[in-house]
Amino acid sequence: MSDPDVSIVVANWQGADVIARCLSSLQLSARASGRSCELICVDDASTDESVALIRERFPRVRLVKTPRNRGFAVTVMRGVSAARGRVVVLCNNDLSAKEPFIGNLTRWFFEDAGEAPLFAVSARTMDWYDGAPNQVCMGAVWRGGRVTPAYRTPERAAECLFVQAGAAAYDRALFLRLGGLARLFEPGYWEDYDLSYRAAKAGYRSLYDPEAVALHIGGGSMTKRYGREAVEAMKARNHLLFEWANLTDPGLLMNHGLRLPVSVAQEWTRGNPRRLTRGFFGALRRLPRVLRHRRRLGRPAVGDRELLKRFEDFTPSY
């Protein structure tokens, strides 16, 4: 049996209320793409009925189970390692794809003739309930000593910096060559931004395609599991880990180091030392892992300043 063109990998945890809608939509979209596709669902030790549901209703879906709950990065890496396609599409279990989704997302890998190798293509997602934008064209700007996510909403395909792994396609060989999603950020958040930033600094391109559309239901599994306050601290911690692991420009690193204590102190003077303070001390505890991560980076082909300059006209997210 020949390898498929595309492998679609869905990470699932406690998805009994959303997984059927997700897999059904992806099967229809894969068929409409005209590409040979395989669909893999990696279950991260769910305790609900989602595994039984997948086995009963989706016999053609290859089900991979983790023996214990390992988090998003490990779950995705299991799926990518098991995949056989040249292109791998990663989807969250609360995604509902429009019919052209797979075809539009993956066509670039078979048709694109850009100068730099194509690493990934990010989709456009909208809220299931009100249609509000959920995932658009993401870049970053330097603001207040931080790499701050920024966005645009182009009507046509455009270069992006950050690729969100809940609805994106990747060159599978490059994904694995770069080491995939790093466990530094477990259980979740910023690991996909870390990977796409590393790819950009290595000289690879990523695109945003607004015609690759999916609806995002938003089950909030991380919030349900850890609580809203812990999730906010986790996001703050992983944002810092991203910067400490990836910034190589001496001037930007110094600027970050000088401004960060001021930002932490400002939380205390306001009498509410929560998000950034907790994130900062959480990041400090992972400093040895950050240093190991940095040692694996190698010499960047593109510097931080040059990379961020490409997105200076984007609107900061916060």
Side-chain angles (χ1 to χ4, degrees), residues 19-42:
I19 193 64
R21 183 188 290 112
C22 175
L23 295 179
S24 295
S25 71
L26 289 172
Q27 285 183 328
L28 288 171
S29 184
R31 193 175 302 126
S33 73
R35 298 282 175 189
S36 58
C37 300
E38 65 173 347
L39 184 51
I40 303 168
C41 185
V42 186

Side-chain angles (χ1 to χ4, degrees), residues 19 52 106 113 118 124 144-145 148 191 200 231 240 258 273 308:
I19 193 64
T106 60
L118 180 62
R124 177 166 66 102
T148 303
E191 63 271 89
V231 164
L240 288 169
L258 291 172
L308 293 171

Side-chain angles (χ1 to χ4, degrees), residues 201-249:
K201 290 187 74 171
Y204 301 123
R205 291 181 307 127
S206 293
L207 296 175
Y208 163 76
D209 188 346
E211 295 183 4
V213 181
L215 299 176
H216 182 239
I217 299 166
S221 58
M222 292 285 277
T223 301
K224 286 188 284 188
R225 183 171 184 183
Y226 295 100
R228 185 172 300 278
E229 188 170 317
V231 164
E232 288 303 308
M234 193 185 305
K235 290 178 179 178
R237 179 198 68 193
N238 288 359
H239 187 175
L240 288 169
L241 290 174
F242 164 86
E243 291 163 329
W244 297 354
N246 288 292
L247 287 174
T248 53
D249 183 281

Side-chain angles (χ1 to χ4, degrees), residues 162-182:
F162 290 148
V163 176
Q164 295 168 295
Y170 298 83
D171 181 304
R172 180 174 173 270
L174 290 180
F175 184 99
L176 293 173
R177 187 183 305 168
L178 289 164
L181 301 180

